[in-house]
């Protein structure tokens, strides 16, 4: 099941996105949130007539950095053995939905995309054992962990470089059928369009993840309680590159569709 | 005016704390939140009969690290010139109120207190100029930026070392009379009680701040939109030291009273 959040002529709603084929998708309004079994209100819209928003408004976005060995090598010029995965936070105010512009302020230079598989938490989660990770997950979505590479290294701490308003595109929806994903072989790609030319820049696979899903959730929840709607960014594979105003970036993950955002000057 | 949040026999309320002298304080319930002019419900309790909670439930806690030259020297063994102030985030789930235990998990070693002046945001704030900082601030409170010094250096990123549940004691209330504070000469102290003996460990002054209040708010809001209730931790002076289960830590700031928390093993 795919849970989304939409803007429609009468307001905002949580919906189930139903149907097959991009042109036949329907957004069916639900009474509550995506964290319980859906009850339908009866209102529905063709998806093409409404606007998808970020599917969750997280109380926190917890991210695992340096979780793909190939990306560690390209960004940090060090082997992953010497720089193990680490944890950082992106603020809720950085979250935007599909097609919302990524807005780059003048001082944020070398702003790169990072296409990642994201987890949406479904239950209050503390001290979860790796083997039990599925019990606290509502589903998967796509995140673009937008990062000013220059600020990231200048600041040392990554919160500002990765926490600027609009630097956390999220969507298009939460896919709850997590058993349909093969986490040992999931394709993650990012396509950058510059001057009308689209090139595939990231073309990797979740089999490159250093810390696996169960470990990630055990690691985070040993320290922090996760709440329903919270988001975990599981790390970016190699291929990240700078974006400029006028570009469009699209992250594509098998089974989740794609998350596309234009880039603008703030 | 002092805004607090309390647990009382019938539930939770935002209150104005009124009266002079610690024994005569009264918690007067308000209809809405601390971000508008208070309307009283008429219910009130002697403060001694209720429990103060963290005065705000922030959507984010933005913190300035390395903002006191003496603390930079003691922790980083470097001069502040070579390590300028930096920005990091603490998750909302780390926030607790006065007298709530700081709970230290086994893996978080060398857990130190950091007594700091905290700002509570009162208005949606983006691109605020330094000179206008007061217009977006609802008031001041005290924060203890609890930090596992070992995890902080092992992880590189500080989010986990400073983001563990209970590692952000906040309170006792929001003092809105910000003009009553002399930010060029504000006493900040922390008293640690171990084995029944209390010693003053931090005894510094806001005049040691490298980045001043206006600069801090301009710096943060150039990147991130601040929302009402969000908290800014303005940095810790020197004197931080490890705490152990059984200890009690009390941070005291002129004009704000004190924030006291016992320390426990999680």
């Amino acid at each position: 099941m795919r849970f989304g959040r939409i803007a429609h002529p009468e307001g905002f709603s949580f919906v189930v996105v139903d149907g097959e084929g991009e042109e036949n998708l329907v957004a069916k309004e639900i009474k509550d949130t995506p964290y319980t079994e859906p009850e339908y209100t009866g209102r529905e819209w063709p998806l093409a007539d409404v606007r998808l928003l970020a599917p969750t408004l997280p109380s926190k976005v917890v991210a695992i950095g340096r979780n793909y060995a190939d990306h560690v090598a390209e960004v940090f010029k060090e082997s992953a053995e010497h720089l193990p995965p680490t944890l950082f936070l992106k603020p809720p105010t950085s979250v935007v939905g599909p097609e919302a512009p990524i807005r780059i302020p003048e001082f944020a230079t070398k702003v790169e995309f990072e296409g990642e598989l994201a987890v949406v938490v479904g239950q209050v989660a503390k001290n979860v054992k790796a083997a039990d990770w599925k019990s606290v997950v509502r589903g998967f979505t796509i995140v673009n962990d937008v990062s000013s590479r220059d600020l990231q290294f200048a600041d040392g701490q990554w919160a500002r470089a990765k926490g600027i308003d609009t630097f956390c595109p999220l969507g298009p929806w939460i896919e709850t059928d997590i058993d349909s994903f093969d986490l040992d072989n999931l394709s993650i790609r990012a396509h950058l369009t510059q001057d009308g030319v689209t090139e595939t820049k990231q073309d990797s696979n979740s089999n490159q993840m250093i810390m696996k899903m169960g470990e990630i959730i055990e690691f985070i929840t040993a320290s922090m309680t996760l709440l329903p709607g919270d988001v975990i960014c599981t790390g970016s594979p190699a291929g990240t590159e700078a974006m400029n105003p006028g570009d469009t970036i699209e992250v594509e993950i098998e089974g989740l569709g794609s998350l596309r955002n234009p880039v603008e000057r703030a």
Side-chain angles (χ1 to χ4, degrees), chain A residues 6-212:
Chain A
I6 63 167
H8 54 75
E10 291 111 84
F12 304 97
S13 300
F14 281 116
V15 296
V16 168
V17 178
D18 216 357
E20 290 299 321
E22 207 172 314
E23 284 169 25
N24 303 313
L25 294 176
V26 175
K28 298 180 171 175
E29 189 179 48
I30 59 173
K31 283 196 172 130
D32 298 307
T33 65
Y35 312 108
T36 54
E37 277 314 289
E39 247 192 279
Y40 296 94
T41 65
R43 293 209 295 179
E44 59 179 59
W45 302 265
L47 193 65
D49 293 355
V50 296
R51 187 159 56 89
L52 279 166
L53 306 169
T56 168
L57 293 170
S59 79
K60 61 181 169 295
V61 178
V62 185
I64 304 296
R66 305 190 299 233
N67 202 29
Y68 281 72
D70 50 359
H71 178 61
V72 174
E74 78 181 347
V75 172
F76 300 94
K77 319 295 180 205
E78 284 255 24
S79 77
E81 275 164 55
H82 296 101
L83 278 174
T86 192
L87 188 156
F88 64 94
L89 297 163
K90 289 171 83 87
T93 35
S94 63
V95 174
V96 292
E99 302 294 345
I102 296 164
R103 304 187 71 240
I104 303 180
E106 291 281 354
F107 61 85
T109 47
K110 211 176 177 214
V111 174
E112 301 194 350
F113 54 85
E114 295 190 359
E116 305 187 11
L117 176 66
V119 172
V120 180
V121 174
Q123 302 286 338
V124 176
K126 186 74 198 283
N127 291 327
V128 178
K129 291 292 159 213
D132 301 328
W133 72 268
K134 287 184 183 176
S135 67
V136 301
V137 169
R138 187 50 168 162
F140 295 141
T141 190
I142 302 171
V143 67
N144 187 342
D145 175 21
V146 178
S147 309
S148 164
R149 209 64 78 200
D150 287 340
L151 286 186
Q152 183 176 357
F153 287 107
D155 287 2
Q157 296 304 303
W158 303 346
R160 189 167 68 121
K162 291 169 171 279
I164 293 170
D165 288 355
T166 75
F167 274 29
C168 191
L170 195 73
W173 41 60
I174 305 165
E175 174 56 74
T176 62
D177 184 10
I178 55 179
D179 287 326
S180 69
F181 292 82
D182 179 359
L183 291 181
D184 293 321
N185 182 23
L186 186 69
S187 164
I188 300 178
R189 301 196 297 166
H191 316 286
L192 181 65
T193 303
Q194 291 185 308
D195 300 324
V197 180
T198 301
E199 281 186 48
T200 297
K201 300 291 187 178
Q202 290 186 294
D203 189 358
S204 189
N205 193 292
S206 63
N207 63 18
Q208 298 294 309
M209 286 172 74
I210 297 166
M211 201 183 260
K212 304 292 184 191

Side-chain angles (χ1 to χ4, degrees), chain A residues 192-263:
Chain A
L192 181 65
T193 303
Q194 291 185 308
D195 300 324
V197 180
T198 301
E199 281 186 48
T200 297
K201 300 291 187 178
Q202 290 186 294
D203 189 358
S204 189
N205 193 292
S206 63
N207 63 18
Q208 298 294 309
M209 286 172 74
I210 297 166
M211 201 183 260
K212 304 292 184 191
M213 197 59 83
E215 286 173 85
I216 289 174
I217 289 175
E218 178 168 326
F219 177 69
I220 295 171
T221 64
S223 294
M224 300 177 187
T225 300
L226 294 172
L227 303 182
D230 282 357
V231 168
I232 301 168
C233 310
T234 60
S236 173
T240 65
E241 207 171 280
M243 305 179 289
N244 294 305
D247 296 353
T248 300
I249 181 69
E250 181 169 17
V251 182
E252 187 186 359
I253 297 184
E254 215 177 323
L256 286 169
S258 77
L259 170 67
R260 194 175 64 177
N261 298 86
V263 181

